[in-house]
Coordinates of all heavy atoms in Angstrom, one line a residue:
I230 N -4.8 0.0 4.7 CA -5.7 0.9 3.9 C -7.1 0.8 4.6 O -7.5 -0.3 4.8 CB -5.9 0.4 2.4 CG1 -4.5 0.4 1.7 CG2 -6.8 1.4 1.7 CD1 -4.6 -0.2 0.3
K231 N -7.5 1.9 5.0 CA -8.8 2.0 5.8 C -9.8 2.8 4.8 O -9.3 3.9 4.3 CB -8.7 2.6 7.1 CG -8.0 1.8 8.1 CD -8.0 2.5 9.5 CE -7.2 1.6 10.4 NZ -7.3 2.3 11.8
R232 N -11.0 2.4 4.8 CA -12.1 3.1 4.2 C -13.0 3.7 5.2 O -13.5 3.0 6.1 CB -12.8 2.3 3.2 CG -14.0 3.0 2.5 CD -14.7 2.0 1.6 NE -15.8 2.9 0.9 CZ -16.8 2.2 0.3 NH1 -16.8 1.0 0.2 NH2 -17.7 3.0 -0.1
Y233 N -13.4 5.0 5.1 CA -14.3 5.6 5.9 C -15.5 6.1 5.2 O -15.3 6.5 4.1 CB -13.6 6.8 6.7 CG -12.5 6.5 7.6 CD1 -11.2 6.5 7.1 CD2 -12.7 6.1 8.9 CE1 -10.2 6.1 7.9 CE2 -11.7 5.7 9.7 CZ -10.4 5.8 9.2 OH -9.4 5.4 10.0
P234 N -16.6 6.1 5.8 CA -17.8 6.6 5.1 C -17.7 8.0 4.6 O -17.1 8.8 5.3 CB -18.9 6.5 6.2 CG -18.4 5.5 7.2 CD -17.0 5.7 7.2
Y235 N -18.3 8.2 3.4 CA -18.2 9.5 2.9 C -19.6 10.1 2.3 O -20.5 9.2 2.4 CB -17.1 9.8 1.9 CG -16.6 11.0 1.5 CD1 -16.2 11.9 2.4 CD2 -16.6 11.4 0.2 CE1 -15.8 13.2 2.1 CE2 -16.2 12.7 -0.2 CZ -15.8 13.6 0.7 OH -15.5 14.9 0.4
E236 N -19.6 11.1 1.7 CA -20.9 11.7 1.3 C -21.8 10.8 0.4 O -23.0 10.6 0.7 CB -20.7 13.0 0.5 CG -20.1 14.1 1.3 CD -19.7 15.3 0.5 OE1 -19.9 15.2 -0.8 OE2 -19.1 16.2 1.0
E237 N -21.3 10.3 -0.7 CA -22.1 9.5 -1.5 C -21.7 8.1 -1.6 O -20.5 7.8 -1.3 CB -21.9 10.0 -3.0 CG -22.6 11.5 -3.2 CD -24.0 11.6 -2.9 OE1 -24.8 10.7 -3.3 OE2 -24.4 12.7 -2.5
P238 N -22.4 7.2 -2.0 CA -22.0 5.7 -1.9 C -20.8 5.4 -2.9 O -20.0 4.4 -2.6 CB -23.2 4.9 -2.4 CG -24.3 5.8 -2.8 CD -23.8 7.1 -2.4
Y239 N -20.6 6.1 -3.9 CA -19.4 5.9 -4.9 C -18.3 6.9 -4.6 O -17.4 6.8 -5.3 CB -20.0 6.0 -6.4 CG -20.9 5.0 -6.6 CD1 -22.4 5.3 -6.8 CD2 -20.7 3.6 -6.7 CE1 -23.3 4.4 -7.0 CE2 -21.6 2.7 -7.0 CZ -22.9 3.0 -7.1 OH -23.8 2.1 -7.3
H240 N -18.3 7.7 -3.6 CA -17.1 8.6 -3.3 C -16.5 7.9 -2.1 O -17.2 7.5 -1.1 CB -17.7 10.0 -2.8 CG -18.2 10.7 -4.0 ND1 -19.0 11.8 -3.9 CD2 -18.0 10.6 -5.3 CE1 -19.4 12.3 -5.0 NE2 -18.8 11.6 -6.0
L241 N -15.2 7.8 -2.2 CA -14.5 7.2 -1.2 C -13.5 8.1 -0.3 O -13.0 9.1 -0.9 CB -13.5 6.0 -1.8 CG -14.3 5.1 -2.6 CD1 -13.1 4.1 -3.3 CD2 -15.2 4.2 -1.8
N242 N -13.4 7.8 0.8 CA -12.4 8.5 1.8 C -11.5 7.4 2.3 O -11.9 6.6 3.0 CB -13.1 9.1 3.0 CG -12.1 9.7 4.0 OD1 -10.9 9.7 3.8 ND2 -12.6 10.2 5.1
L243 N -10.3 7.2 1.7 CA -9.3 6.2 2.0 C -8.1 6.8 2.7 O -7.7 7.9 2.5 CB -8.8 5.6 0.7 CG -9.8 4.9 -0.2 CD1 -9.2 4.5 -1.5 CD2 -10.6 3.9 0.5
V244 N -7.7 6.0 3.7 CA -6.5 6.5 4.4 C -5.4 5.3 4.3 O -5.6 4.2 4.7 CB -6.6 6.7 6.0 CG1 -5.3 7.1 6.7 CG2 -7.6 7.8 6.1
F245 N -4.3 5.7 3.6 CA -3.3 4.7 3.4 C -2.1 5.0 4.4 O -1.7 6.2 4.5 CB -2.5 4.9 2.0 CG -3.6 4.7 0.8 CD1 -4.4 5.6 0.3 CD2 -3.5 3.3 0.2 CE1 -5.2 5.4 -0.7 CE2 -4.2 3.1 -0.8 CZ -5.2 4.0 -1.3
S246 N -1.8 4.0 5.2 CA -0.7 4.1 6.1 C 0.4 3.1 6.0 O 0.0 2.0 5.6 CB -1.2 3.9 7.6 OG -2.3 4.9 7.9
A247 N 1.7 3.5 6.1 CA 2.8 2.6 5.8 C 3.8 2.7 6.9 O 3.9 3.9 7.4 CB 3.4 2.8 4.5
S248 N 4.5 1.7 7.3 CA 5.4 1.7 8.4 C 6.6 0.7 8.1 O 6.3 -0.4 7.6 CB 4.9 1.5 9.8 OG 5.9 1.5 10.7
N249 N 7.8 1.2 8.3 CA 8.9 0.1 8.3 C 9.4 -0.2 9.6 O 10.5 -0.9 9.8 CB 10.0 0.6 7.3 CG 10.7 1.8 8.0 OD1 10.4 2.3 9.1 ND2 11.7 2.4 7.3
G250 N 8.6 0.1 10.6 CA 8.9 -0.3 12.0 C 9.7 0.9 12.8 O 9.8 1.0 13.9
V251 N 10.2 1.8 11.9 CA 11.0 3.0 12.5 C 10.2 4.3 12.1 O 10.0 5.0 12.9 CB 12.5 3.0 12.0 CG1 13.1 4.3 12.5 CG2 13.2 1.7 12.5
F252 N 10.0 4.4 10.8 CA 9.3 5.6 10.2 C 7.9 5.1 9.8 O 7.5 4.0 9.4 CB 10.1 6.1 9.1 CG 11.3 6.6 9.5 CD1 12.5 5.9 9.1 CD2 11.5 7.7 10.1 CE1 13.8 6.3 9.4 CE2 12.8 8.2 10.5 CZ 13.9 7.5 10.2
E253 N 7.0 6.0 10.0 CA 5.5 5.9 9.6 C 5.0 7.0 8.9 O 5.4 8.1 9.2 CB 4.8 5.7 10.9 CG 3.3 5.4 10.7 CD 2.6 5.2 12.0 OE1 3.1 4.5 12.9 OE2 1.5 5.8 12.3
G254 N 4.1 6.7 7.9 CA 3.4 7.9 7.2 C 2.1 7.5 6.8 O 1.7 6.3 6.7
S255 N 1.2 8.5 6.5 CA -0.2 8.2 6.1 C -0.5 9.3 5.1 O -0.1 10.4 5.0 CB -1.0 8.2 7.2 OG -1.2 9.4 7.9
L256 N -1.5 8.9 4.3 CA -2.2 9.8 3.2 C -3.7 9.6 3.2 O -4.1 8.5 3.1 CB -1.5 9.4 1.9 CG -2.2 10.0 0.6 CD1 -1.7 11.5 0.5 CD2 -1.7 9.3 -0.6
K257 N -4.3 10.7 3.3 CA -5.7 10.7 3.2 C -6.1 11.0 1.8 O -5.5 11.9 1.2 CB -6.5 11.8 4.2 CG -8.0 11.6 4.2 CD -8.5 12.6 5.3 CE -8.3 12.0 6.5 NZ -9.0 12.9 7.6
Y258 N -6.9 10.1 1.2 CA -7.2 10.2 -0.3 C -8.7 10.2 -0.6 O -9.3 9.3 0.0 CB -6.6 9.0 -0.9 CG -6.6 9.1 -2.5 CD1 -5.7 10.1 -3.2 CD2 -7.4 8.4 -3.3 CE1 -5.8 10.2 -4.4 CE2 -7.4 8.5 -4.6 CZ -6.6 9.4 -5.3 OH -6.6 9.4 -6.6
Y259 N -9.2 11.2 -1.3 CA -10.6 11.2 -1.6 C -10.7 11.0 -3.1 O -10.0 11.6 -3.9 CB -11.2 12.6 -1.3 CG -11.3 12.9 0.2 CD1 -10.1 13.5 0.7 CD2 -12.4 12.6 0.9 CE1 -10.2 13.8 2.2 CE2 -12.4 12.8 2.3 CZ -11.4 13.5 2.9 OH -11.3 13.8 4.2
C260 N -11.7 10.1 -3.6 CA -11.8 9.8 -4.9 C -13.1 9.2 -5.2 O -13.9 8.9 -4.3 CB -10.7 8.9 -5.4 SG -10.8 7.2 -4.7
H261 N -13.4 9.0 -6.5 CA -14.6 8.3 -6.9 C -14.2 6.8 -7.0 O -13.1 6.5 -7.4 CB -15.1 8.9 -8.2 CG -16.4 8.3 -8.6 ND1 -16.7 7.1 -9.3 CD2 -17.7 8.7 -8.4 CE1 -17.9 6.9 -9.6 NE2 -18.5 7.9 -9.1
A262 N -15.1 5.8 -6.8 CA -14.9 4.5 -6.7 C -14.3 3.9 -8.1 O -13.4 3.2 -8.1 CB -16.1 3.6 -6.4
S263 N -14.6 4.6 -9.3 CA -14.2 4.2 -10.4 C -12.6 4.6 -10.7 O -11.9 4.0 -11.5 CB -15.1 4.8 -11.5 OG -14.9 6.2 -11.6
D264 N -12.2 5.4 -9.9 CA -10.7 5.9 -10.0 C -9.8 4.8 -9.4 O -8.6 4.8 -9.8 CB -10.4 7.1 -9.1 CG -11.2 8.3 -9.7 OD1 -11.6 8.3 -10.9 OD2 -11.5 9.3 -8.9
L265 N -10.3 3.9 -8.7 CA -9.3 2.8 -8.0 C -8.8 2.0 -9.2 O -7.6 1.6 -9.0 CB -10.1 1.9 -7.1 CG -10.5 2.6 -5.8 CD1 -11.4 1.6 -4.9 CD2 -9.4 3.2 -5.1
E266 N -9.5 1.6 -10.3 CA -8.9 0.9 -11.4 C -7.7 1.5 -11.9 O -6.7 1.1 -12.1 CB -10.0 0.6 -12.4 CG -9.4 -0.2 -13.5 CD -10.5 -0.5 -14.5 OE1 -11.8 -0.1 -14.5 OE2 -10.1 -1.3 -15.6

Side-chain angles (χ1 to χ4, degrees):
I230 302 171
K231 289 185 180 180
R232 178 182 178 194
Y233 294 95
Y235 197 55
E236 297 173 358
E237 300 291 330
Y239 297 107
H240 293 157
L241 303 176
N242 173 5
L243 303 174
V244 176
F245 295 83
S246 301
S248 174
N249 66 1
V251 177
F252 296 102
E253 177 182 320
S255 65
L256 170 73
K257 189 177 282 191
Y258 189 76
Y259 295 89
C260 66
H261 190 273
S263 64
D264 295 336
L265 291 180
E266 184 177 359

